[in-house]
Amino acid sequence: NIDFILDIPMQVTVQVGSTKMIIRELLQLWQGSVIELEKLAVEPMEVLVNNKLVARGEVVVVNEKFGIRLTDVISAAERVQQLA
């Protein structure tokens, strides 16, 4: 019976991209600053659950809020392998 785990909270994160910078660059950021990310704009975003990749998708706007449309869901077997 899986019902007893259905209410367990999980941390869901959509990773847009990342970059590395030195402290000097970080301290020079102001409102309106642009941070260039290592990921290209056309690349899929990664969906992580508790820091484990579960899917990829594309950014969409729904009712004036950002969302993500899943385009590739990691197979159950691959997700189980990530647990090891």
Side-chain angles (χ1 to χ4, degrees):
N1 187 352
I2 196 168
D3 290 339
F4 72 97
I5 66 168
L6 294 179
D7 291 330
I8 295 175
M10 308 289 287
Q11 179 69 38
V12 178
T13 305
V14 177
Q15 188 167 343
V16 175
S18 63
T19 193
K20 291 182 180 179
M21 58 179 36
I22 61 175
I23 293 174
R24 180 180 300 110
E25 294 169 330
L26 182 66
L27 294 173
Q28 293 173 348
L29 294 177
W30 297 99
Q31 184 174 344
S33 294
V34 175
I35 299 173
E36 186 174 340
L37 303 175
E38 294 171 353
K39 187 177 271 192
L40 298 174
V42 295
E43 290 183 66
M45 305 295 120
E46 295 177 340
V47 179
L48 307 165
V49 174
N50 290 347
N51 294 320
K52 302 291 184 184
L53 179 66
V54 296
R56 292 181 183 87
E58 58 191 18
V59 175
V60 294
V61 178
V62 180
N63 297 326
E64 298 183 19
K65 294 183 180 180
F66 287 112
I68 186 162
R69 177 182 295 123
L70 300 182
T71 57
D72 178 38
V73 176
I74 306 302
S75 73
E78 289 175 300
R79 284 180 269 160
V80 169
Q81 285 179 339
Q82 289 184 44
L83 298 174

